[in-house]
Amino acid sequence: MNRRDFIKNTALGVGAVTLFGSRAFNVHAGEILPKKGKRVVVAGGGFGGATAAKYLKMMDPKLDVILIEERASFISCPVSNLVLVGLKEMKDITFSYSTLAKKYGISVLNAKILAIDPVSHKVETSKGSVAFDRLILSPGVDFIYDNIKGMDARSQELFPHAVKAGPQTIQLTQELKAMKPGENMVMSIPEAPFRCPPGPYERACLVANYLKNNKKGSKIIVLDANQDVVSKAKLFKAAWKDYYEGIVEYHPDSEVKEIKAETRTVVASSGEYVGAILNIIPEQKAGSMAFMGGLMPQGRRWSPVSALSFESSVHKDVHIIGDATDGDVIGSMPKSGFVASTMGKAAAASVMAMLAGKEPVSPYLANTCYSMVNEREAIYVTGVFEYDPQTKKIAGKKAAGGVSPERSVLLGHQAEDWAKGIWSDTLG
Amino acid sequence: MQGRVFMAVVFLLYAASMAIAGVPGDGERLAETCTGCHGTKGASPGNYIPVIGGQHAGYLKKSLVEYRDGLRPGGVMANLAKGYSDGQIDDISKAVASWKWKNSPIKSAFKGKKLAVETESCVACHGKKGEGSADTPRITGQSPGYLKVVLQEFSDGKRKSPEMELIKGVAATELDKLVIFYTRK
């Protein structure tokens, strides 16, 4: 019985319906943080949302900004592959939201989003409903298990994706540690687009490096639903050849069809594979809040938004940023934390303009992403993106997109500093 | 001539009316894409990624152009700089230069009494306090790892600059002393 039923039943029970009035039945947990001036609510405190909230406050310290996030702390997906193999610890990638609250005056609400009403401009959370003038959603990604037979709730727990850094990162770390020499890990990669395109391939490198040093005779079997490595292909393959020959076993065109939990078997389009560890990364879709309030058109899995303002194509006054956005609608960009962060800044600027009754301003986006191929060396990919008023899409500047000519130790140092930079820009 | 001046004034007034209170202009918004790596307002928290906020605009522009044209070894910057027009590079440089310089939080440890290092030649261009000016970068308080990489590039001849010729072939141990001098606690 939820609170609403409770009120209803109790009211009827004591025969005092009139006491509550008809409106009482529409109120769930009641409004919290009553709105006074202009307010922007940011839902989702990942790279996109946290950055948007911070940059809104940097533009106008007086603006009422509420950041709603379910998790008590921020856990970074970048660098989480290093945690898996013991090169970093969870505490190295876990950060507090307190600086955003103290230094910038953002109201950080630790609550779960339950519903969104774009029409009455309200967000229903586990702690009560919050009103907004404009809403920025940073929903992240969610997972589609329907296409894999046997991937029931139990299998989902047994075979972690570890794409969202958190409990599954810890689980996979422990499994790797406990794995016996000679046993194998199977990792599956879904068809693109998915969060952090180089992520699984970096994981293959780092796990292979770990196996090489700690588990003699073990290997990582990579089942890729794509026809080839999706990001930094040449560089990753060079690392596999030079460092991990016989340890990384790469199978392109291998879509996972079924999981047999009892025998720890993956049935893929290219054959059957057994692993002591199954790291199943399923197909992805926008995070759950992108599907609330009628914001997701029927049959779609990524959010359609304006490429200029990131305002939802379905409802005005609601902006959607980050991995959840539909590349077919706004222009193709990698679903990376860095892109999400620049989208957060761009959306914040347009939201400010639109609050003032002006036109949105042109977004400037970029991507910089490093991947470690072992404990010292890194490679990178870059991109610069700009809005094209002709096509009404965001397009990459060809000359600015590309990968590092080679892997190097200096890039490894820069990779570490990259993380420090983006963490501080997001949360510090 | 007068007509042109009039048109210019009209354009400026129009441009000013376009600016929205509180919303950063194009240069600032372009520059904000840099801060994902270089830290908010260019105050880099890292060792190998330089502080850029408050660096001299002339030097920032020169660097971006050199990265773009392949005249300076650049890692990600060699790619990223190719994504911007001359005008945008100008705007980015001005915006980043307008931010306040913050010394790198990473400082070189030096325990001795006096650092035996020859800095007279540095002072001539970079100023008494290594503060730089115009096309010459501020070096005091820069990220130590980055400073060492740059000095090594000049020493190895990988990066060309008539002013920095004097450091060509200088041993790494001597470069280390210079880094310590300009980034010490």
Side-chain angles (χ1 to χ4, degrees):
Chain A
M1 186 168 79
N2 62 31
R3 189 190 161 102
R4 194 169 160 188
D5 293 334
F6 178 73
I7 292 170
K8 204 173 175 183
N9 292 344
T10 316
L12 288 171
V14 297
V17 181
T18 50
L19 201 67
F20 290 84
S22 62
R23 291 191 68 191
F25 299 114
N26 298 325
V27 176
H28 291 216
E31 187 171 350
I32 53 168
L33 307 163
K35 190 169 88 67
K36 292 180 190 107
K38 288 258 160 109
R39 172 187 286 172
V40 180
V41 168
V42 182
F47 283 107
T51 305
K54 172 173 160 176
Y55 275 74
L56 280 167
K57 274 293 201 182
M58 280 168 61
M59 282 182 276
D60 183 2
K62 284 185 190 139
L63 183 69
D64 182 4
V65 178
I66 298 177
L67 176 64
I68 307 173
E69 166 56 44
E70 189 182 352
R71 294 195 194 195
S73 24
F74 176 100
I75 307 175
S76 173
C77 290
V79 188
S80 67
N81 278 335
L82 292 167
V83 175
L84 292 181
V85 295
L87 292 170
K88 293 276 178 197
E89 292 176 45
M90 283 304 284
K91 67 172 171 52
D92 298 323
I93 61 166
T94 305
F95 303 94
S96 158
Y97 288 104
S98 64
T99 305
L100 290 184
K102 282 181 208 149
K103 189 169 165 189
Y104 298 96
I106 296 163
S107 310
V108 180
L109 179 62
N110 184 203
K112 189 177 163 71
I113 307 284
L114 303 175
I116 294 164
D117 189 341
V119 180
S120 67
H121 290 71
K122 269 188 181 151
V123 174
E124 192 76 33
T125 81
S126 52
K127 292 196 174 151
S129 83
V130 181
F132 62 82
D133 292 293
R134 280 187 180 271
L135 174 65
I136 299 177
L137 291 182
S138 191
V141 295
D142 216 334
F143 301 92
I144 305 169
Y145 286 105
D146 311 348
N147 306 332
I148 306 174
K149 199 179 154 195
M151 209 55 189
D152 52 19
R154 196 178 113 83
S155 289
Q156 290 173 30
E157 272 176 31
L158 281 173
F159 311 125
H161 51 71
V163 165
K164 286 186 185 181
Q168 293 210 345
T169 311
I170 299 169
Q171 184 185 344
L172 198 51
T173 306
Q174 288 166 345
E175 286 181 10
L176 263 169
K177 215 171 169 185
M179 193 167 92
K180 293 191 187 81
E183 289 183 333
N184 297 333
M185 167 168 157
V186 178
M187 174 177 67
S188 74
I189 304 171
E191 201 181 333
F194 53 84
R195 164 176 282 185
C196 185
Y201 308 103
E202 178 193 56
R203 182 176 295 175
C205 288
L206 291 171
V207 167
N209 189 47
Y210 175 80
L211 299 178
K212 193 177 171 179
N213 297 327
N214 299 286
K215 313 276 174 183
K216 282 273 171 290
S218 289
K219 58 185 175 184
I220 174 164
I221 300 166
V222 182
L223 306 178
D224 195 341
N226 301 285
Q227 285 178 359
D228 196 2
V229 173
V230 169
S231 175
K232 306 170 188 163
K234 226 174 124 187
L235 292 159
F236 278 123
K237 285 188 193 164
W240 295 345
K241 188 169 171 289
D242 298 344
Y243 296 140
Y244 311 123
E245 189 92 72
I247 303 176
V248 173
E249 190 184 301
Y250 180 69
H251 298 271
D253 251 328
S254 297
E255 197 186 338
V256 176
K257 303 284 185 195
E258 185 182 356
I259 301 295
K260 293 175 179 166
E262 298 71 33
T263 53
R264 303 184 94 81
T265 303
V266 182
V267 183
S269 52
S270 63
E272 293 196 8
Y273 306 86
V274 178
I277 300 172
L278 304 188
N279 173 205
I280 304 301
I281 306 175
E283 282 194 291
Q284 292 161 33
K285 60 181 176 182
S288 59
M289 65 176 98
F291 290 81
M292 294 174 181
L295 287 161
M296 186 68 76
Q298 197 67 37
R300 302 277 280 272
R301 61 173 166 142
W302 304 109
S303 301
V305 296
S306 151
L308 180 62
S309 64
F310 298 96
E311 190 169 39
S312 163
S313 311
V314 180
H315 277 290
K316 66 181 181 73
D317 303 339
V318 179
H319 303 250
I320 306 172
I321 57 172
D323 296 345
T325 53
D326 191 338
D328 290 341
V329 174
I330 62 170
S332 179
M333 279 167 283
K335 296 192 182 299
S336 76
F338 202 101
V339 167
S341 145
T342 56
M343 281 185 187
K345 293 168 189 176
S350 277
V351 162
M352 279 297 289
M354 292 162 94
L355 277 176
K358 311 275 182 180
E359 290 298 311
V361 291
S362 202
Y364 297 111
L365 309 179
N367 187 42
T368 307
C369 161
Y370 292 86
S371 304
M372 300 300 291
V373 297
N374 54 34
E375 62 271 67
R376 304 172 311 277
E377 297 171 302
I379 55 181
Y380 64 72
V381 64
T382 58
V384 172
F385 308 90
E386 229 178 87
Y387 180 73
D388 179 352
Q390 240 83 58
T391 59
K392 292 192 162 61
K393 280 191 177 189
I394 296 163
K397 297 280 186 81
K398 224 172 189 171
V403 298
S404 53
E406 55 193 4
R407 57 178 182 253
S408 79
V409 174
L410 175 59
L411 294 180
H413 290 313
Q414 290 173 347
E416 193 166 356
D417 287 350
W418 172 95
K420 284 183 192 162
I422 196 156
W423 291 334
S424 77
D425 198 27
T426 307
L427 302 157
Chain B
M1 181 67 194
Q2 271 191 349
R4 266 194 211 167
V5 171
F6 174 72
M7 284 306 287
V9 168
V10 167
F11 176 75
L12 283 174
L13 286 172
Y14 174 70
S17 75
M18 290 288 288
I20 305 157
V23 180
D26 287 82
E28 180 80 9
R29 297 205 313 285
L30 278 161
E32 280 175 355
T33 63
C34 309
T35 65
C37 295
H38 290 275
T40 304
K41 300 286 181 195
S44 173
N47 194 10
Y48 289 84
I49 296 179
V51 175
I52 55 170
Q55 184 59 278
H56 303 290
Y59 174 71
L60 290 168
K61 185 179 169 182
K62 185 174 168 231
S63 290
L64 286 169
V65 168
E66 285 181 356
Y67 281 132
R68 185 191 68 191
D69 298 345
L71 299 171
R72 180 178 171 177
V76 294
M77 289 310 300
N79 285 359
L80 294 168
K82 291 188 178 78
Y84 304 102
S85 67
D86 285 340
Q88 286 178 323
I89 283 180
D90 226 29
D91 290 348
I92 293 171
S93 303
K94 280 179 194 150
V96 173
S98 77
W99 297 338
K100 200 169 173 270
W101 177 277
K102 267 179 96 176
N103 284 341
S104 167
I106 298 167
K107 311 246 187 264
S108 296
F110 177 68
K111 283 180 179 159
K113 270 187 183 163
K114 198 167 185 294
L115 191 64
V117 56
E118 174 63 55
T119 58
E120 273 162 43
S121 336
C122 308
V123 168
C125 295
H126 293 275
K128 254 187 184 161
K129 292 176 177 169
E131 72 277 14
S133 66
D135 286 359
T136 310
R138 177 182 176 126
I139 48 176
T140 298
Q142 186 51 279
S143 312
Y146 163 79
L147 208 53
K148 176 66 195 294
V149 167
V150 167
L151 287 171
Q152 195 68 59
E153 283 170 358
F154 283 126
S155 174
D156 295 345
K158 283 184 190 162
R159 186 172 160 196
K160 308 244 184 309
S161 153
E163 297 85 6
M164 292 302 287
E165 274 290 309
L166 57 99
I167 215 156
K168 210 167 176 183
V170 169
T173 48
E174 291 303 307
L175 300 180
D176 283 337
K177 286 182 193 168
L178 286 173
V179 172
I180 292 169
F181 182 81
Y182 282 108
T183 63
R184 68 192 186 280
K185 279 172 189 160

